[in-house]
mmCIF file of all heavy atoms in Angstrom:
data_model
loop_
_atom_site.group_PDB
_atom_site.id
_atom_site.type_symbol
_atom_site.label_atom_id
_atom_site.label_comp_id
_atom_site.label_asym_id
_atom_site.label_seq_id
_atom_site.Cartn_x
_atom_site.Cartn_y
_atom_site.Cartn_z
ATOM 1 N N VAL G 1 31.792 -27.118 -34.715
ATOM 2 C CA VAL G 1 31.263 -28.426 -35.087
ATOM 3 C C VAL G 1 30.900 -29.209 -33.826
ATOM 4 O O VAL G 1 29.855 -29.860 -33.751
ATOM 5 C CB VAL G 1 32.286 -29.202 -35.940
ATOM 6 C CG1 VAL G 1 31.788 -30.617 -36.208
ATOM 7 C CG2 VAL G 1 32.566 -28.464 -37.243
ATOM 8 N N ARG G 2 31.787 -29.139 -32.841
ATOM 9 C CA ARG G 2 31.539 -29.819 -31.574
ATOM 10 C C ARG G 2 30.639 -28.934 -30.709
ATOM 11 O O ARG G 2 30.961 -27.772 -30.461
ATOM 12 C CB ARG G 2 32.842 -30.097 -30.865
ATOM 13 C CG ARG G 2 32.649 -30.796 -29.540
ATOM 14 C CD ARG G 2 33.924 -31.364 -28.971
ATOM 15 N NE ARG G 2 33.608 -32.240 -27.865
ATOM 16 C CZ ARG G 2 34.274 -33.335 -27.554
ATOM 17 N NH1 ARG G 2 35.303 -33.709 -28.301
ATOM 18 N NH2 ARG G 2 33.928 -34.073 -26.516
ATOM 19 N N ARG G 3 29.532 -29.484 -30.249
ATOM 20 C CA ARG G 3 28.569 -28.696 -29.490
ATOM 21 C C ARG G 3 28.104 -29.466 -28.258
ATOM 22 O O ARG G 3 28.108 -30.703 -28.263
ATOM 23 C CB ARG G 3 27.356 -28.360 -30.363
ATOM 24 C CG ARG G 3 27.712 -27.567 -31.612
ATOM 25 C CD ARG G 3 26.512 -27.362 -32.508
ATOM 26 N NE ARG G 3 26.874 -26.611 -33.717
ATOM 27 C CZ ARG G 3 26.021 -26.287 -34.673
ATOM 28 N NH1 ARG G 3 24.746 -26.665 -34.569
ATOM 29 N NH2 ARG G 3 26.420 -25.604 -35.720
ATOM 30 N N PRO G 4 27.668 -28.745 -27.236
ATOM 31 C CA PRO G 4 27.126 -29.430 -26.062
ATOM 32 C C PRO G 4 25.806 -30.112 -26.388
ATOM 33 O O PRO G 4 25.071 -29.675 -27.277
ATOM 34 C CB PRO G 4 26.926 -28.292 -25.055
ATOM 35 C CG PRO G 4 26.739 -27.074 -25.904
ATOM 36 C CD PRO G 4 27.634 -27.276 -27.100
ATOM 37 N N ARG G 5 25.538 -31.172 -25.672
ATOM 38 C CA ARG G 5 24.260 -31.875 -25.807
ATOM 39 C C ARG G 5 23.557 -31.830 -24.450
ATOM 40 O O ARG G 5 23.540 -32.804 -23.701
ATOM 41 C CB ARG G 5 24.481 -33.314 -26.275
ATOM 42 C CG ARG G 5 25.123 -33.401 -27.648
ATOM 43 C CD ARG G 5 25.271 -34.839 -28.104
ATOM 44 N NE ARG G 5 25.848 -34.909 -29.453
ATOM 45 C CZ ARG G 5 26.065 -36.045 -30.109
ATOM 46 N NH1 ARG G 5 25.757 -37.210 -29.531
ATOM 47 N NH2 ARG G 5 26.599 -36.023 -31.314
ATOM 48 N N TYR G 6 23.005 -30.671 -24.158
ATOM 49 C CA TYR G 6 22.384 -30.474 -22.857
ATOM 50 C C TYR G 6 21.226 -31.447 -22.644
ATOM 51 O O TYR G 6 20.409 -31.683 -23.548
ATOM 52 C CB TYR G 6 21.859 -29.041 -22.724
ATOM 53 C CG TYR G 6 22.907 -27.959 -22.842
ATOM 54 C CD1 TYR G 6 22.808 -26.968 -23.818
ATOM 55 C CD2 TYR G 6 23.986 -27.917 -21.963
ATOM 56 C CE1 TYR G 6 23.755 -25.964 -23.923
ATOM 57 C CE2 TYR G 6 24.945 -26.911 -22.063
ATOM 58 C CZ TYR G 6 24.821 -25.942 -23.045
ATOM 59 O OH TYR G 6 25.759 -24.942 -23.143
ATOM 60 N N ALA G 7 21.143 -31.969 -21.418
ATOM 61 C CA ALA G 7 20.015 -32.830 -21.076
ATOM 62 C C ALA G 7 18.703 -32.062 -21.161
ATOM 63 O O ALA G 7 17.664 -32.622 -21.510
ATOM 64 C CB ALA G 7 20.219 -33.408 -19.676
ATOM 65 N N ASN G 8 18.776 -30.770 -20.850
ATOM 66 C CA ASN G 8 17.612 -29.892 -20.977
ATOM 67 C C ASN G 8 17.715 -29.149 -22.305
ATOM 68 O O ASN G 8 18.512 -28.218 -22.440
ATOM 69 C CB ASN G 8 17.568 -28.903 -19.820
ATOM 70 C CG ASN G 8 16.362 -27.974 -19.873
ATOM 71 O OD1 ASN G 8 15.580 -28.009 -20.826
ATOM 72 N ND2 ASN G 8 16.212 -27.134 -18.874
ATOM 73 N N PRO G 9 16.940 -29.544 -23.307
ATOM 74 C CA PRO G 9 17.076 -28.917 -24.638
ATOM 75 C C PRO G 9 16.772 -27.428 -24.650
ATOM 76 O O PRO G 9 17.190 -26.728 -25.578
ATOM 77 C CB PRO G 9 16.074 -29.696 -25.497
ATOM 78 C CG PRO G 9 15.112 -30.306 -24.536
ATOM 79 C CD PRO G 9 15.895 -30.581 -23.295
ATOM 80 N N ALA G 10 16.060 -26.926 -23.652
ATOM 81 C CA ALA G 10 15.763 -25.493 -23.606
ATOM 82 C C ALA G 10 17.030 -24.659 -23.470
ATOM 83 O O ALA G 10 17.031 -23.468 -23.798
ATOM 84 C CB ALA G 10 14.810 -25.196 -22.453
ATOM 85 N N ARG G 11 18.107 -25.277 -22.979
ATOM 86 C CA ARG G 11 19.375 -24.548 -22.812
ATOM 87 C C ARG G 11 20.160 -24.439 -24.120
ATOM 88 O O ARG G 11 21.136 -23.695 -24.196
ATOM 89 C CB ARG G 11 20.244 -25.262 -21.781
ATOM 90 C CG ARG G 11 19.630 -25.387 -20.391
ATOM 91 C CD ARG G 11 19.726 -24.092 -19.625
ATOM 92 N NE ARG G 11 19.452 -24.295 -18.209
ATOM 93 C CZ ARG G 11 18.268 -24.162 -17.633
ATOM 94 N NH1 ARG G 11 17.231 -23.773 -18.363
ATOM 95 N NH2 ARG G 11 18.112 -24.375 -16.340
ATOM 96 N N ASP G 12 19.767 -25.180 -25.132
ATOM 97 C CA ASP G 12 20.546 -25.294 -26.364
ATOM 98 C C ASP G 12 20.223 -24.156 -27.328
ATOM 99 O O ASP G 12 19.223 -24.189 -28.047
ATOM 100 C CB ASP G 12 20.269 -26.647 -27.024
ATOM 101 C CG ASP G 12 21.163 -26.902 -28.219
ATOM 102 O OD1 ASP G 12 22.004 -26.033 -28.538
ATOM 103 O OD2 ASP G 12 21.024 -27.966 -28.842
ATOM 104 N N ASN G 13 21.091 -23.167 -27.384
ATOM 105 C CA ASN G 13 20.859 -22.024 -28.270
ATOM 106 C C ASN G 13 21.038 -22.361 -29.748
ATOM 107 O O ASN G 13 20.613 -21.580 -30.615
ATOM 108 C CB ASN G 13 21.780 -20.867 -27.886
ATOM 109 C CG ASN G 13 21.171 -19.997 -26.802
ATOM 110 O OD1 ASN G 13 19.953 -19.877 -26.703
ATOM 111 N ND2 ASN G 13 22.016 -19.394 -25.974
ATOM 112 N N TYR G 14 21.655 -23.491 -30.043
ATOM 113 C CA TYR G 14 21.787 -23.881 -31.450
ATOM 114 C C TYR G 14 20.443 -24.256 -32.053
ATOM 115 O O TYR G 14 20.317 -24.375 -33.275
ATOM 116 C CB TYR G 14 22.774 -25.042 -31.581
ATOM 117 C CG TYR G 14 24.190 -24.642 -31.257
ATOM 118 C CD1 TYR G 14 24.761 -24.976 -30.032
ATOM 119 C CD2 TYR G 14 24.948 -23.897 -32.155
ATOM 120 C CE1 TYR G 14 26.056 -24.598 -29.720
ATOM 121 C CE2 TYR G 14 26.248 -23.508 -31.860
ATOM 122 C CZ TYR G 14 26.794 -23.869 -30.628
ATOM 123 O OH TYR G 14 28.074 -23.473 -30.321
ATOM 124 N N ARG G 15 19.446 -24.456 -31.217
ATOM 125 C CA ARG G 15 18.103 -24.783 -31.697
ATOM 126 C C ARG G 15 17.294 -23.527 -32.044
ATOM 127 O O ARG G 15 16.193 -23.631 -32.589
ATOM 128 C CB ARG G 15 17.351 -25.580 -30.623
ATOM 129 C CG ARG G 15 17.978 -26.918 -30.299
ATOM 130 C CD ARG G 15 17.481 -27.461 -28.956
ATOM 131 N NE ARG G 15 16.049 -27.650 -28.946
ATOM 132 C CZ ARG G 15 15.433 -28.807 -29.174
ATOM 133 N NH1 ARG G 15 16.149 -29.892 -29.440
ATOM 134 N NH2 ARG G 15 14.122 -28.903 -29.141
ATOM 135 N N GLN G 16 17.838 -22.355 -31.725
ATOM 136 C CA GLN G 16 17.095 -21.120 -31.950
ATOM 137 C C GLN G 16 16.984 -20.790 -33.437
ATOM 138 O O GLN G 16 17.942 -20.955 -34.204
ATOM 139 C CB GLN G 16 17.795 -19.952 -31.243
ATOM 140 C CG GLN G 16 17.738 -19.999 -29.728
ATOM 141 C CD GLN G 16 16.323 -19.855 -29.219
ATOM 142 O OE1 GLN G 16 15.577 -18.977 -29.643
ATOM 143 N NE2 GLN G 16 15.943 -20.733 -28.303
ATOM 144 N N GLU G 17 15.829 -20.332 -33.826
ATOM 145 C CA GLU G 17 15.646 -19.835 -35.191
ATOM 146 C C GLU G 17 16.022 -18.355 -35.220
ATOM 147 O O GLU G 17 15.562 -17.576 -34.388
ATOM 148 C CB GLU G 17 14.198 -20.015 -35.632
ATOM 149 C CG GLU G 17 13.765 -21.476 -35.767
ATOM 150 C CD GLU G 17 12.361 -21.611 -36.320
ATOM 151 O OE1 GLU G 17 11.777 -20.580 -36.724
ATOM 152 O OE2 GLU G 17 11.851 -22.743 -36.350
ATOM 153 N N VAL G 18 16.865 -17.996 -36.161
ATOM 154 C CA VAL G 18 17.328 -16.618 -36.248
ATOM 155 C C VAL G 18 17.008 -16.042 -37.614
ATOM 156 O O VAL G 18 16.839 -16.775 -38.596
ATOM 157 C CB VAL G 18 18.844 -16.504 -35.961
ATOM 158 C CG1 VAL G 18 19.158 -17.002 -34.549
ATOM 159 C CG2 VAL G 18 19.659 -17.272 -36.991
ATOM 160 N N GLY G 19 16.967 -14.705 -37.676
ATOM 161 C CA GLY G 19 16.708 -14.027 -38.930
ATOM 162 C C GLY G 19 17.957 -13.915 -39.781
ATOM 163 O O GLY G 19 19.010 -14.494 -39.476
ATOM 164 N N ASP G 20 17.850 -13.130 -40.832
ATOM 165 C CA ASP G 20 18.949 -13.021 -41.785
ATOM 166 C C ASP G 20 20.078 -12.132 -41.289
ATOM 167 O O ASP G 20 21.244 -12.385 -41.577
ATOM 168 C CB ASP G 20 18.434 -12.485 -43.120
ATOM 169 C CG ASP G 20 17.500 -13.462 -43.821
ATOM 170 O OD1 ASP G 20 17.678 -14.686 -43.625
ATOM 171 O OD2 ASP G 20 16.588 -13.012 -44.542
ATOM 172 N N ASP G 21 19.725 -11.061 -40.553
ATOM 173 C CA ASP G 21 20.738 -10.102 -40.135
ATOM 174 C C ASP G 21 20.182 -9.239 -39.008
ATOM 175 O O ASP G 21 19.066 -9.474 -38.522
ATOM 176 C CB ASP G 21 21.179 -9.236 -41.317
ATOM 177 C CG ASP G 21 20.007 -8.597 -42.052
ATOM 178 O OD1 ASP G 21 18.939 -8.367 -41.423
ATOM 179 O OD2 ASP G 21 20.144 -8.324 -43.258
ATOM 180 N N GLU G 22 20.965 -8.241 -38.606
ATOM 181 C CA GLU G 22 20.577 -7.410 -37.465
ATOM 182 C C GLU G 22 19.317 -6.596 -37.746
ATOM 183 O O GLU G 22 18.493 -6.383 -36.850
ATOM 184 C CB GLU G 22 21.729 -6.481 -37.090
ATOM 185 C CG GLU G 22 21.551 -5.749 -35.775
ATOM 186 C CD GLU G 22 22.794 -5.007 -35.341
ATOM 187 O OE1 GLU G 22 23.817 -5.050 -36.085
ATOM 188 O OE2 GLU G 22 22.767 -4.375 -34.264
ATOM 189 N N ALA G 23 19.145 -6.157 -38.971
ATOM 190 C CA ALA G 23 17.962 -5.360 -39.303
ATOM 191 C C ALA G 23 16.681 -6.169 -39.162
ATOM 192 O O ALA G 23 15.658 -5.657 -38.693
ATOM 193 C CB ALA G 23 18.085 -4.807 -40.723
ATOM 194 N N SER G 24 16.737 -7.438 -39.550
ATOM 195 C CA SER G 24 15.539 -8.277 -39.493
ATOM 196 C C SER G 24 15.374 -8.972 -38.149
ATOM 197 O O SER G 24 14.271 -9.418 -37.813
ATOM 198 C CB SER G 24 15.584 -9.330 -40.606
ATOM 199 O OG SER G 24 16.679 -10.221 -40.413
ATOM 200 N N ASP G 25 16.465 -9.076 -37.375
ATOM 201 C CA ASP G 25 16.423 -9.814 -36.111
ATOM 202 C C ASP G 25 17.292 -9.115 -35.069
ATOM 203 O O ASP G 25 18.407 -9.555 -34.753
ATOM 204 C CB ASP G 25 16.920 -11.248 -36.350
ATOM 205 C CG ASP G 25 16.682 -12.152 -35.150
ATOM 206 O OD1 ASP G 25 16.306 -11.637 -34.081
ATOM 207 O OD2 ASP G 25 16.893 -13.376 -35.274
ATOM 208 N N PRO G 26 16.807 -8.025 -34.506
ATOM 209 C CA PRO G 26 17.614 -7.238 -33.563
ATOM 210 C C PRO G 26 17.822 -7.901 -32.206
ATOM 211 O O PRO G 26 18.597 -7.393 -31.397
ATOM 212 C CB PRO G 26 16.797 -5.949 -33.416
ATOM 213 C CG PRO G 26 15.389 -6.350 -33.699
ATOM 214 C CD PRO G 26 15.484 -7.402 -34.758
ATOM 215 N N LEU G 27 17.178 -9.026 -31.957
ATOM 216 C CA LEU G 27 17.359 -9.735 -30.691
ATOM 217 C C LEU G 27 18.501 -10.751 -30.731
ATOM 218 O O LEU G 27 18.948 -11.211 -29.681
ATOM 219 C CB LEU G 27 16.066 -10.460 -30.300
ATOM 220 C CG LEU G 27 14.942 -9.586 -29.759
ATOM 221 C CD1 LEU G 27 13.674 -10.400 -29.599
ATOM 222 C CD2 LEU G 27 15.339 -8.964 -28.420
ATOM 223 N N HIS G 28 18.972 -11.102 -31.936
ATOM 224 C CA HIS G 28 19.985 -12.147 -32.051
ATOM 225 C C HIS G 28 21.275 -11.692 -32.735
ATOM 226 O O HIS G 28 22.236 -12.462 -32.811
ATOM 227 C CB HIS G 28 19.410 -13.352 -32.798
ATOM 228 C CG HIS G 28 18.321 -14.055 -32.042
ATOM 229 N ND1 HIS G 28 17.010 -14.056 -32.448
ATOM 230 C CD2 HIS G 28 18.358 -14.735 -30.875
ATOM 231 C CE1 HIS G 28 16.275 -14.734 -31.569
ATOM 232 N NE2 HIS G 28 17.070 -15.156 -30.613
ATOM 233 N N TYR G 29 21.311 -10.473 -33.222
ATOM 234 C CA TYR G 29 22.518 -9.898 -33.812
ATOM 235 C C TYR G 29 22.794 -8.564 -33.116
ATOM 236 O O TYR G 29 21.859 -7.838 -32.771
ATOM 237 C CB TYR G 29 22.350 -9.654 -35.313
ATOM 238 C CG TYR G 29 22.114 -10.891 -36.143
ATOM 239 C CD1 TYR G 29 20.817 -11.357 -36.383
ATOM 240 C CD2 TYR G 29 23.180 -11.593 -36.711
ATOM 241 C CE1 TYR G 29 20.585 -12.488 -37.159
ATOM 242 C CE2 TYR G 29 22.956 -12.725 -37.487
ATOM 243 C CZ TYR G 29 21.660 -13.168 -37.702
ATOM 244 O OH TYR G 29 21.436 -14.292 -38.472
ATOM 245 N N GLY G 30 24.081 -8.251 -32.947
ATOM 246 C CA GLY G 30 24.390 -6.998 -32.245
ATOM 247 C C GLY G 30 25.658 -6.330 -32.719
ATOM 248 O O GLY G 30 26.280 -5.570 -31.973
ATOM 249 N N ARG G 31 26.043 -6.587 -33.978
ATOM 250 C CA ARG G 31 27.323 -6.076 -34.476
ATOM 251 C C ARG G 31 27.408 -4.554 -34.373
ATOM 252 O O ARG G 31 28.451 -3.992 -33.995
ATOM 253 C CB ARG G 31 27.530 -6.546 -35.913
ATOM 254 C CG ARG G 31 28.825 -6.080 -36.563
ATOM 255 C CD ARG G 31 30.068 -6.706 -35.934
ATOM 256 N NE ARG G 31 31.237 -6.311 -36.701
ATOM 257 C CZ ARG G 31 31.685 -6.983 -37.757
ATOM 258 N NH1 ARG G 31 31.076 -8.089 -38.173
ATOM 259 N NH2 ARG G 31 32.757 -6.572 -38.400
ATOM 260 N N SER G 32 26.337 -3.847 -34.700
ATOM 261 C CA SER G 32 26.383 -2.376 -34.653
ATOM 262 C C SER G 32 26.604 -1.883 -33.233
ATOM 263 O O SER G 32 27.313 -0.888 -33.009
ATOM 264 C CB SER G 32 25.099 -1.788 -35.232
ATOM 265 O OG SER G 32 23.985 -2.047 -34.396
ATOM 266 N N LEU G 33 26.018 -2.567 -32.257
ATOM 267 C CA LEU G 33 26.203 -2.165 -30.862
ATOM 268 C C LEU G 33 27.615 -2.486 -30.375
ATOM 269 O O LEU G 33 28.211 -1.710 -29.618
ATOM 270 C CB LEU G 33 25.163 -2.856 -29.979
ATOM 271 C CG LEU G 33 23.715 -2.434 -30.211
ATOM 272 C CD1 LEU G 33 22.769 -3.285 -29.358
ATOM 273 C CD2 LEU G 33 23.517 -0.951 -29.889
ATOM 274 N N ILE G 34 28.148 -3.624 -30.825
ATOM 275 C CA ILE G 34 29.534 -3.962 -30.459
ATOM 276 C C ILE G 34 30.492 -2.919 -31.027
ATOM 277 O O ILE G 34 31.429 -2.480 -30.351
ATOM 278 C CB ILE G 34 29.893 -5.369 -30.966
ATOM 279 C CG1 ILE G 34 29.021 -6.416 -30.274
ATOM 280 C CG2 ILE G 34 31.372 -5.674 -30.709
ATOM 281 C CD1 ILE G 34 29.131 -7.805 -30.873
ATOM 282 N N ASP G 35 30.251 -2.513 -32.275
ATOM 283 C CA ASP G 35 31.101 -1.472 -32.870
ATOM 284 C C ASP G 35 31.013 -0.181 -32.066
ATOM 285 O O ASP G 35 32.022 0.507 -31.858
ATOM 286 C CB ASP G 35 30.673 -1.216 -34.317
ATOM 287 C CG ASP G 35 30.994 -2.384 -35.248
ATOM 288 O OD1 ASP G 35 31.810 -3.242 -34.853
ATOM 289 O OD2 ASP G 35 30.431 -2.419 -36.353
ATOM 290 N N LEU G 36 29.824 0.146 -31.590
ATOM 291 C CA LEU G 36 29.644 1.349 -30.786
ATOM 292 C C LEU G 36 30.401 1.242 -29.466
ATOM 293 O O LEU G 36 31.027 2.211 -29.013
ATOM 294 C CB LEU G 36 28.153 1.575 -30.531
ATOM 295 C CG LEU G 36 27.724 2.931 -29.982
ATOM 296 C CD1 LEU G 36 28.099 4.055 -30.939
ATOM 297 C CD2 LEU G 36 26.221 2.930 -29.719
ATOM 298 N N ILE G 37 30.354 0.072 -28.855
ATOM 299 C CA ILE G 37 31.105 -0.155 -27.614
ATOM 300 C C ILE G 37 32.595 0.052 -27.861
ATOM 301 O O ILE G 37 33.276 0.753 -27.113
ATOM 302 C CB ILE G 37 30.835 -1.580 -27.076
ATOM 303 C CG1 ILE G 37 29.387 -1.715 -26.590
ATOM 304 C CG2 ILE G 37 31.803 -1.939 -25.956
ATOM 305 C CD1 ILE G 37 28.945 -3.149 -26.367
ATOM 306 N N ALA G 38 33.101 -0.572 -28.926
ATOM 307 C CA ALA G 38 34.532 -0.499 -29.218
ATOM 308 C C ALA G 38 34.991 0.918 -29.543
ATOM 309 O O ALA G 38 36.146 1.272 -29.296
ATOM 310 C CB ALA G 38 34.859 -1.434 -30.378
ATOM 311 N N GLN G 39 34.095 1.734 -30.081
ATOM 312 C CA GLN G 39 34.444 3.110 -30.438
ATOM 313 C C GLN G 39 34.401 4.058 -29.241
ATOM 314 O O GLN G 39 34.843 5.216 -29.359
ATOM 315 C CB GLN G 39 33.486 3.610 -31.523
ATOM 316 C CG GLN G 39 33.643 2.895 -32.864
ATOM 317 C CD GLN G 39 32.434 3.078 -33.761
ATOM 318 O OE1 GLN G 39 31.526 3.867 -33.477
ATOM 319 N NE2 GLN G 39 32.390 2.314 -34.852
ATOM 320 N N THR G 40 33.882 3.591 -28.123
ATOM 321 C CA THR G 40 33.765 4.442 -26.943
ATOM 322 C C THR G 40 35.016 4.295 -26.087
ATOM 323 O O THR G 40 35.393 3.175 -25.728
ATOM 324 C CB THR G 40 32.526 4.049 -26.116
ATOM 325 O OG1 THR G 40 31.358 4.144 -26.954
ATOM 326 C CG2 THR G 40 32.360 4.977 -24.921
ATOM 327 N N PRO G 41 35.696 5.395 -25.754
ATOM 328 C CA PRO G 41 36.947 5.307 -24.988
ATOM 329 C C PRO G 41 36.778 4.535 -23.680
ATOM 330 O O PRO G 41 35.781 4.675 -22.981
ATOM 331 C CB PRO G 41 37.291 6.778 -24.718
ATOM 332 C CG PRO G 41 36.616 7.529 -25.816
ATOM 333 C CD PRO G 41 35.347 6.783 -26.093
ATOM 334 N N GLY G 42 37.768 3.693 -23.386
ATOM 335 C CA GLY G 42 37.805 3.000 -22.115
ATOM 336 C C GLY G 42 36.995 1.721 -22.035
ATOM 337 O O GLY G 42 36.970 1.069 -20.987
ATOM 338 N N GLN G 43 36.339 1.330 -23.139
ATOM 339 C CA GLN G 43 35.481 0.145 -23.091
ATOM 340 C C GLN G 43 36.222 -1.079 -23.635
ATOM 341 O O GLN G 43 36.836 -1.025 -24.700
ATOM 342 C CB GLN G 43 34.200 0.382 -23.883
ATOM 343 C CG GLN G 43 33.459 1.655 -23.495
ATOM 344 C CD GLN G 43 33.220 1.779 -22.004
ATOM 345 O OE1 GLN G 43 32.541 0.940 -21.402
ATOM 346 N NE2 GLN G 43 33.770 2.821 -21.390
ATOM 347 N N GLU G 44 36.145 -2.170 -22.894
ATOM 348 C CA GLU G 44 36.768 -3.426 -23.289
ATOM 349 C C GLU G 44 35.705 -4.378 -23.834
ATOM 350 O O GLU G 44 34.725 -4.680 -23.160
ATOM 351 C CB GLU G 44 37.450 -4.085 -22.085
ATOM 352 C CG GLU G 44 38.041 -5.455 -22.404
ATOM 353 C CD GLU G 44 38.455 -6.247 -21.169
ATOM 354 O OE1 GLU G 44 38.113 -5.823 -20.042
ATOM 355 O OE2 GLU G 44 39.105 -7.296 -21.336
#
């Protein structure tokens, strides 16, 4: 709820328009890749 109010609005990622999910918006969702990282031995 509490968010930064950057003087430069270009820094504010809350203004970004995003798609519905990873399939429709692969630039803003990454759950499948995070799962892959977690499944790989030795990765934090």
